[in-house]
């Protein structure tokens, strides 16, 4: 294997088409993204069939744009990494078929990437001083977990949500507040106009031992409050504020507990909700308080992107992993602990 490796990374697990190129020794050469937010917003959520069709429409163009941005010809690629799961089956199939077809036609290997592992690992792309082991707080639209990241590919889940993911709770509550899909960032924006008030949300699972979380009660509470006040617009910022405080506090409490239980001094925040400014602020306070270091990827790497897939692909390729088979298989449900 020659020392310079250029890996094309393809992300199509949900509603973002991401294509990026990572070169060992040099870093990220290009990073192209198309978000389907507008396409799905009129339906209030992701429509899987429309998502797959849109990935098909965009994937060629984004790949061409990624090659152009990196100033490379397609023959200069050494491998194609693609998200094989977890995610929407149709969307995953688009990325997997494209990657396998490209790999076969170019005579280069492919690598099946776990979407959540890519989220966990991308902070290493941002910060070369970060090293294994660390604790990861994974907060996305589909998953919420505290993970003991011992080494590349060695993960144990310390605790996770028993119902909704925190991003899902943000999105569902945002919808109740009349905000457009996906509501997480919009709710956070509305909360900036709000203040501490009499609206108090429950703090889920705080009195329970262990590291599991629960977020479905927050959405139910929001629905009940809104019914009571008859959706009075002037109250919405304070409700958004109170919701966000409760969700963030639940995450902070359990993250702190995970660090104390394991004795780890490094916390990595990954996934879409990692873009939340209030969460970042509270985590910084907590890390000063208990003397640990917190790492956040930049906002664009918190949400779905091709860079994390290309980067993880390069790490796995460097370990000699690759797949030359032509079988196209995706894993819509795939636990990190099975890696
Ligand atoms: O990781 P991600 O891009 O997709 C999944 O793999 O799920 O996460 C998307 C989630 C959505 O629920 C979105 O509303 C939430 O991240 N999100 C936010 C913010 N930005 C994105 N939630 C709260 N505050 C934000 N600023
Ligand atoms: Zn994601």
């Amino acid at each position: 294997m020659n020392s310079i490796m250029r890996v094309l990374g393809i992300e199509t697990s949900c509603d973002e088409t991401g294509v990026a190129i990572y070169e060992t020794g040099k870093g990220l050469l290009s990073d192209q993204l198309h978000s389907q937010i507008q396409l799905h917003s009129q339906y209030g959520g992701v429509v899987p069939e429309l998502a797959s069709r849109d990935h098909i429409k965009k994937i060629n163009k984004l790949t061409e744009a990624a090659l152009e941005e990196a100033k490379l010809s397609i023959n200069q690629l050494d491998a194609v990494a693609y998200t094989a799961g977890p995610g929407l089956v149709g969307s995953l199939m688009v990325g997997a078929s494209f990657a396998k077809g490209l790999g076969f036609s170019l005579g280069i290997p492919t690598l099946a990437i776990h979407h959540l592992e890519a989220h966990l690992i991308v902070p290493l792309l941002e910060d070369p001083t970060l090293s294994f082991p660390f604790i990861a707080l994974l907060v996305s639209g589909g998953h919420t977990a505290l993970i003991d990241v011992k080494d590349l590919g060695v993960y144990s889940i310390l605790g996770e949500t028993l119902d909704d993911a925190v991003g899902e709770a943000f999105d569902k509550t945002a919808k109740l507040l009349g905000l457009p899909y996906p509501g997480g960032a919009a709710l956070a924006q509305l909360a900036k106009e709000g203040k501490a008030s009499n609206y108090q949300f429950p703090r889920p699972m705080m009195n329970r031992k262990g590291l599991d979380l629960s977020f479905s009660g927050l959405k139910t509470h929001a629905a009940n409050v809104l019914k009571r006040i008859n959706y009075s617009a002037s109250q919405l910022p304070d409700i958004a504020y109170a919701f966000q405080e409760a969700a963030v506090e639940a995450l902070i409490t359990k993250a702190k507990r995970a660090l104390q239980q394991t004795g780890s001094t490094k916390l990595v925040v990954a996934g879409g909700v990692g873009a939340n400014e209030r969460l970042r602020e509270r985590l910084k306070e907590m890390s000063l308080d208990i003397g640990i270091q917190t790492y956040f990827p930049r906002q664009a790497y918190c949400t779905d992107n091709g860079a994390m897939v290309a980067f993880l692909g390069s790490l796995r390729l460097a370990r000699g992993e690759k797949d030359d088979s032509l079988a196209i298989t995706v894993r819509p449900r795939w636990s990190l602990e099975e890696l």
Side-chain angles (χ1 to χ4, degrees), residues 44-197:
V46 178
V47 183
E49 182 59 25
L50 294 183
S52 322
R53 287 170 191 237
D54 200 58
H55 287 306
I56 294 173
K57 273 199 214 150
K58 301 288 164 19
I59 200 159
N60 269 311
K61 280 214 156 41
L62 285 173
T63 305
E64 281 167 11
L67 286 164
E68 200 177 305
E69 188 189 349
K71 298 188 176 56
L72 291 177
S73 83
I74 200 158
N75 297 315
Q76 290 173 289
L77 296 174
D78 297 293
V80 186
Y82 63 97
T83 301
L88 300 171
V89 65
S91 293
L92 291 168
M93 281 302 289
V94 176
S97 317
F98 183 81
K100 282 285 178 188
L102 201 58
F104 177 66
S105 67
L106 296 172
I108 57 175
T110 57
L111 294 124
I113 297 296
H114 190 293
H115 179 79
L116 300 179
E117 182 182 27
H119 272 303
L120 292 187
I121 295 302
V122 76
L124 292 163
L125 170 66
E126 282 284 72
D127 191 338
T129 65
L130 172 63
S131 58
F132 299 113
F134 53 80
I135 300 297
L137 174 63
L138 176 68
V139 281
S140 76
H143 298 85
T144 302
L146 278 155
I147 301 156
D148 189 358
V149 179
K150 298 183 177 94
D151 201 347
L152 184 69
V154 190
Y155 312 113
S156 80
I157 295 177
L158 302 171
E160 60 191 329
T161 181
L162 302 178
D163 40 58
D164 290 355
V166 63
E168 192 178 351
F170 265 88
D171 293 343
K172 287 178 175 170
T173 305
K175 199 169 178 177
L176 291 169
L177 293 168
L179 300 169
Y181 156 86
L187 190 154
Q189 199 57 34
L190 185 66
K192 279 190 187 162
E193 295 164 31
K195 55 182 182 335
S197 63

Side-chain angles (χ1 to χ4, degrees), residues 163-164 168-170 172-177 187 197-204 214-231 235-236 238-247:
D163 40 58
D164 290 355
E168 192 178 351
F170 265 88
K172 287 178 175 170
T173 305
K175 199 169 178 177
L176 291 169
L177 293 168
L187 190 154
S197 63
N198 290 334
Y199 296 117
Q200 278 295 325
F201 276 66
R203 302 296 195 251
S214 160
F215 291 99
S216 68
L218 291 183
K219 168 206 66 194
T220 311
H221 185 80
N224 290 336
V225 169
L226 285 163
K227 258 187 233 147
R228 212 171 56 227
I229 63 158
N230 212 9
Y231 291 79
Q235 307 296 311
L236 300 185
D238 287 352
I239 295 170
Y241 180 95
F243 165 84
Q244 181 172 261
E245 287 304 299

